[in-house]
Amino acid sequence: TSLAVVVNNKYSRTGSENDLDETIQLRREALSLCPPRHVARGMSLINLAGALLVRYRRTDSEDEHDEHDLDEAINLHRESVALHRPGHPDRGASLVGLSNASLEWFRHAGSEGDLRETIRLQRETLALHPFGHRRAMSLNSLATALSSQCQYSCAGSETSLEEAISLLRESLELSQNSPMRAMSLLNLAN
């Protein structure tokens, strides 16, 4: 997995599709070495799903990886959530991964059920972070999902919009001297 991390870092710097594809291949190999009850399986699932989600976001609708990558990422994240039961230290990472993939699926397919799932997952994630930087990130993510609900549905949109604004204001308070502040300001302005 160290090689996958280094190749992924290279991809982050260069943006090379070949590096991303190699990262995915290496993460698949790492996952294949982690049977169902292996201690590292959950994080291997998260890492592979994350790389697939990155590739999905990079591709256009004509690409062979498009929908398959997103579908696989969601399935891998669901498995990681199942492995990381409430109380597990990696549960938050599993929930964040699944909620991000679920929000992408909503944007792709327009299913309100996916958006409701995203919001539910974001609320659970927020409950895991009562303070600090991770709370600010969770507040931002939940606000983004609620804002999406306002854009795509009239049902409860005023309440969702007010909640999103309130969450972003709290995020701003928590991120006074953080790079997260810029994201909170941008989201609040939108």
Side-chain angles (χ1 to χ4, degrees), residues 69-81:
D69 282 347
L70 182 55
D71 191 47
E72 185 179 2
I74 288 171
N75 289 331
L76 292 167
H77 278 306
R78 285 191 195 290
E79 186 179 341
S80 78
V81 168

Side-chain angles (χ1 to χ4, degrees), residues 12-86:
S12 294
R13 281 194 348 269
T14 66
S16 165
E17 197 171 316
N18 290 335
D19 292 334
L20 181 56
D21 289 341
E22 184 178 1
T23 297
I24 290 169
Q25 175 204 349
L26 292 167
R27 291 195 166 159
R28 281 189 196 288
E29 288 178 40
L31 180 60
S32 74
L33 298 174
C34 299
R37 296 192 188 267
H38 192 281
V39 68
R41 184 167 180 84
M43 287 311 294
S44 288
L45 290 162
I46 291 169
N47 289 335
L48 175 55
L52 289 166
L53 191 57
V54 167
R55 185 166 68 184
Y56 167 79
R57 288 175 174 157
R58 268 189 71 125
T59 60
D60 58 31
S61 60
E62 316 286 306
D63 194 286
E64 65 184 90
H65 301 298
D66 191 33
E67 194 173 305
H68 174 74
D69 282 347
L70 182 55
D71 191 47
E72 185 179 2
I74 288 171
N75 289 331
L76 292 167
H77 278 306
R78 285 191 195 290
E79 186 179 341
S80 78
V81 168
L83 284 174
H84 296 149
R85 299 262 184 228

Side-chain angles (χ1 to χ4, degrees), residues 58-131:
R58 268 189 71 125
T59 60
D60 58 31
S61 60
E62 316 286 306
D63 194 286
E64 65 184 90
H65 301 298
D66 191 33
E67 194 173 305
H68 174 74
D69 282 347
L70 182 55
D71 191 47
E72 185 179 2
I74 288 171
N75 289 331
L76 292 167
H77 278 306
R78 285 191 195 290
E79 186 179 341
S80 78
V81 168
L83 284 174
H84 296 149
R85 299 262 184 228
H88 191 285
D90 293 327
R91 180 142 178 100
S94 293
L95 291 169
V96 166
L98 181 54
S99 66
N100 288 339
S102 200
L103 184 59
E104 285 296 330
W105 189 261
F106 165 74
R107 289 176 177 152
H108 172 76
S111 165
E112 277 195 61
D114 294 314
L115 183 57
R116 281 192 301 275
E117 179 182 23
T118 298
I119 291 169
R120 180 188 61 75
L121 292 165
Q122 287 295 345
R123 288 189 191 286
E124 187 177 345
T125 304
L126 182 60
L128 294 175
H129 305 296
F131 54 86

Side-chain angles (χ1 to χ4, degrees), residues 164-178:
I165 290 169
S166 174
L167 293 169
L168 288 168
R169 286 191 172 140
E170 183 181 346
S171 179
L172 280 171
E173 287 298 314
L174 291 172
S175 57
Q176 290 295 325
N177 299 313
S178 162

